[in-house]
Amino acid sequence: MTTGSVLAFDLLAAILAAAGWLGAGATAVAGPRRVAMAVGAAALAATLARAATTILLARAGWWFAAEKVVIAGPLMLAAVLVAGPRLLRPAPVPFLFAGYALTAGLLVTVLHGYPVSAGAGLLAVAGVAGATALTWRFLGSGPVPRTAVVVAVAALVAGIGAAATAGAVPGVPHAHQHRDVLTVGEPAKRFTLTAGTAVVPAGDRDVAAWAFNGQVPGPQLTATVGDVLEVTLRNRDIGRGVTLHWHGYDVPNSQDGVPGVTQDVVLPGREFVYRFRADRAGTYWYHTHAASDVGVRMGLYGVLVIHPKPATGVDVTVPVHTLAGVPLPAPAVQPVAAGDPVRLRLINTDNTTHRYALAGTPFRVVAIDGSDLRGPAPLSETAVLIPAGGRYDLAFTAPDTPVALDVDGRVVWSSGPVSAATGGWPVLDPLTYGTAEPPPWSRYDREFTLVLDRGVDLRGLLPRYAHTVNGAADPDIPSQVVRFGEIVELRIVNRSLVVHPWHLHGHHVLVLSRDGRPATGGPLWLDSFDVRPGEVWEVAFRADNPGMWANHCHNLPHADAGMTLHLIYG
Ligand SMILES: [Cu+2]
């Protein structure tokens, strides 16, 4: 069983145990004794199941289990000790006490999560003691025990105090950098991208979009290694403003296009000129980073391809995007003759993972996220999963029979009809693909752990159910501070129930391990990788690109709902 499924079982057991004890209490008040006994026994079984999932999660890593062990665990123990002996003699107050204790443990996991805080523990105890005192008042025999009242009031006061103190921990303030356009030489390639509202075709209807130069995706920008690119961004009428972020291209910080961090947002009627040297070949894309959740979904993106010198063969880009709920068509098929070398550049510009399957020919995955792979073996009848923001380059020699590419079972590119049931194909694990090479570093100067979760963020004007990193939401997540030249190890732990495609700006990270198992394939340098529920990824990078960089989930609604922090050079 994966840690992700244990996390799901844990939540289920916690809900059943809480509901079970509350139900047993209610039945003990007003129902038949036998039913109360049966419901109580079921609640006890669910409680023991949650104890078991807690132990399994603690063995998978403390990040998954901390609050379950420290806060929910003692509450569960108290519930079992108080309510367990009453199973054969059902009574409302002990059963309801157990219900409050299990509910408090559940809420601590769902609303607070990792890391454990004294405030959350004390508030949970206050809630249980207060609810039990009230229950006793109405259902118990005799006066309310003073202990319950004293514990409730003391824990409430201490909990509010602890929570308020924790809230005062300052994050590292965001620097706001203004720099002149870099002098990188005379531009060899000049482009102008004008952002504006537009109506574009999507499937068989026209939809409202935000577009670069009136088209979705925007124009493909193509250059050759060594070229200096100059891209003038103009905003015609996008009220929330636009910028250009070069996804996966490690440009100098001032060109990275993150509003409020590397530049001001480009408002209607304004422009910004980006200039950088194309120093590495590969498949990349560009998109707005202003209101990026809405902006990218509405169409403000395009493809950036840097060719090596000289470029050869048939080269096709397949950016997959969903506009107004409709998958956009792939580009028109270029004529391919048998024997032609073909490179398919697959780009996922959506917020969630897509599954790609190439049928009709063996192929190699020759590059991921713009980096060539070492020793990629031929594959056939194998699918690939591309995370949000990620790119895979597939290469093959065109056979004299048709080939077809499908995405999530829908054919998006083909040179003729291919009948293949691709749904059952195995999925390539890039961590075991290609030829290994010793890691370039033997030491790490700095280490960070990011624990991804959900939780209530009370620091804004309105409480929100945020996507959190180490228990905090943007802008309150402390920045990671590194020094130039350091080798930095980054551990990313997903204890939530959804996939988080992680994306660090300005750097490619080398994958070291996943779930404690070292990567055994060719060196895997990524800028976008899916951290699935229960997974622990260890990656490393060299801090060689000074500035202030966004480090965030590329499921952009998650980034918008708190899951963004920054890497800064100190
Ligand atoms: Cu996410």
Side-chain angles (χ1 to χ4, degrees):
M1 193 153 55
T2 63
T3 305
S5 45
V6 180
L7 283 167
F9 273 117
D10 177 73
L11 185 63
L12 182 66
I15 292 169
L16 290 177
W21 286 119
L22 293 174
T27 324
V29 175
R33 186 160 164 266
R34 280 174 178 283
V35 176
M37 286 164 65
V39 177
L44 180 64
T47 306
L48 297 177
R50 191 174 198 213
T53 54
T54 300
I55 291 167
L56 287 175
L57 291 172
R59 288 178 56 181
W62 181 244
W63 317 285
F64 299 113
E67 89 292 354
K68 301 174 184 74
V69 172
V70 175
I71 300 175
L75 289 170
M76 278 195 282
L77 184 64
V80 170
L81 290 178
V82 169
R86 303 306 298 261
L87 275 182
L88 297 178
R89 294 174 292 118
V93 177
F95 284 2
L96 289 171
F97 164 77
Y100 304 146
L102 269 291
T103 303
L106 168 66
L107 290 178
V108 167
T109 287
V110 172
L111 302 181
H112 184 73
Y114 182 91
V116 176
S117 75
L122 288 165
L123 290 176
V125 169
V128 174
T132 305
L134 280 176
T135 305
W136 192 294
R137 164 82 176 73
F138 292 108
L139 299 177
S141 48
V144 176
R146 281 177 64 184
T147 332
V149 180
V150 171
V151 167
V153 172
L156 184 65
V157 170
I160 290 172
T165 321
V169 174
V172 175
H174 290 179
H176 191 116
Q177 306 188 355
H178 285 284
R179 283 193 199 165
D180 296 327
V181 169
L182 297 183
T183 44
V184 286
E186 191 55 27
K189 292 274 189 175
R190 286 194 166 88
F191 303 96
T192 299
L193 296 176
T194 302
T197 53
V199 173
V200 302
D204 51 8
R205 62 198 172 102
D206 288 343
V207 300
W210 295 355
F212 286 120
N213 298 3
Q215 61 182 83
V216 177
Q220 177 168 326
L221 310 186
T222 307
T224 304
V225 167
D227 287 349
V228 172
L229 278 78
E230 182 184 279
V231 184
T232 302
L233 168 68
R234 298 208 170 102
N235 182 356
R236 199 182 63 224
D237 61 354
I238 303 296
R240 299 182 68 171
V242 293
T243 63
L244 287 176
H245 168 59
W246 311 97
H247 187 113
Y249 217 77
D250 299 333
V251 295
N253 193 240
S254 61
Q255 310 300 298
D256 195 46
V258 179
V261 177
T262 67
Q263 67 169 96
D264 290 326
V265 70
V266 179
L267 292 170
R270 309 289 287 273
E271 69 171 43
F272 190 94
V273 178
Y274 298 87
R275 207 176 282 164
F276 59 91
R277 182 178 293 277
D279 51 6
R280 52 181 281 164
T283 308
Y284 307 92
W285 61 298
Y286 61 86
H287 63 80
T288 183
H289 221 285
S292 59
D293 168 19
V294 184
V296 178
R297 182 163 39 84
M298 292 287 283
L300 288 174
Y301 73 96
V303 174
L304 169 68
V305 173
I306 310 295
H307 290 290
K309 274 189 261 196
T312 52
V314 178
D315 202 297
V316 183
T317 55
V318 187
V320 168
H321 192 82
T322 309
L323 183 65
V326 181
L328 290 182
V333 176
Q334 301 175 25
V336 177
D340 280 349
V342 181
R343 189 177 188 108
L344 288 181
R345 300 174 185 270
L346 313 182
I347 307 167
N348 182 356
T349 69
D350 276 330
N351 283 316
T352 53
T353 318
H354 286 304
R355 183 183 194 275
Y356 299 70
L358 179 63
T361 178
F363 64 95
R364 296 166 201 264
V365 179
V366 291
I368 299 179
D369 286 0
S371 296
D372 287 346
L373 297 184
R374 186 168 183 263
L379 299 166
S380 58
E381 304 205 341
T382 303
V384 297
L385 290 178
I386 306 187
R391 290 88 58 213
Y392 275 47
D393 290 14
L394 312 187
F396 59 93
T397 303
D400 51 11
T401 49
V403 296
L405 174 75
D406 74 54
V407 179
D408 305 327
R410 180 179 58 89
V411 173
V412 297
W413 183 87
S414 78
S415 58
V418 177
S419 62
T422 63
W425 288 4
V427 170
L428 175 72
D429 181 359
L431 273 69
T432 60
Y433 184 62
T435 316
E437 191 176 75
W441 316 300
S442 55
R443 62 177 173 89
Y444 299 97
D445 304 304
R446 212 174 274 275
E447 187 187 308
F448 296 107
T449 299
L450 304 179
V451 179
L452 314 181
D453 202 359
R454 293 210 75 166
V456 173
D457 177 21
L458 297 168
R459 292 178 200 175
L461 279 177
L462 288 173
R464 60 174 180 165
Y465 196 41
H467 289 275
T468 57
V469 179
N470 298 340
D474 184 46
D476 298 313
I477 307 170
S479 296
Q480 301 170 325
V481 183
V482 299
R483 290 186 187 284
F484 184 84
E486 286 181 337
I487 311 298
V488 183
E489 188 179 353
L490 200 56
R491 181 184 297 111
I492 304 178
V493 180
N494 184 355
R495 51 165 282 159
S496 78
L497 297 178
V498 294
V499 177
H500 293 297
W502 204 255
H503 176 55
L504 168 64
H505 287 213
H507 306 75
H508 277 72
V509 301
L510 176 67
V511 178
L512 304 176
S513 72
R514 184 185 55 215
D515 297 340
R517 284 187 295 281
T520 55
L524 194 55
W525 292 91
L526 303 180
D527 55 63
S528 309
F529 50 98
D530 271 344
V531 185
R532 296 182 188 84
E535 283 187 346
V536 179
W537 284 66
E538 286 176 330
V539 302
F541 63 93
R542 185 181 178 82
D544 57 2
N545 199 0
M548 177 166 190
W549 301 98
N551 190 12
H552 65 97
C553 177
H554 216 278
N555 187 327
L556 296 171
H558 296 182
D560 197 44
M563 205 167 257
T564 300
L565 68 156
H566 297 90
L567 172 78
I568 61 179
Y569 283 63

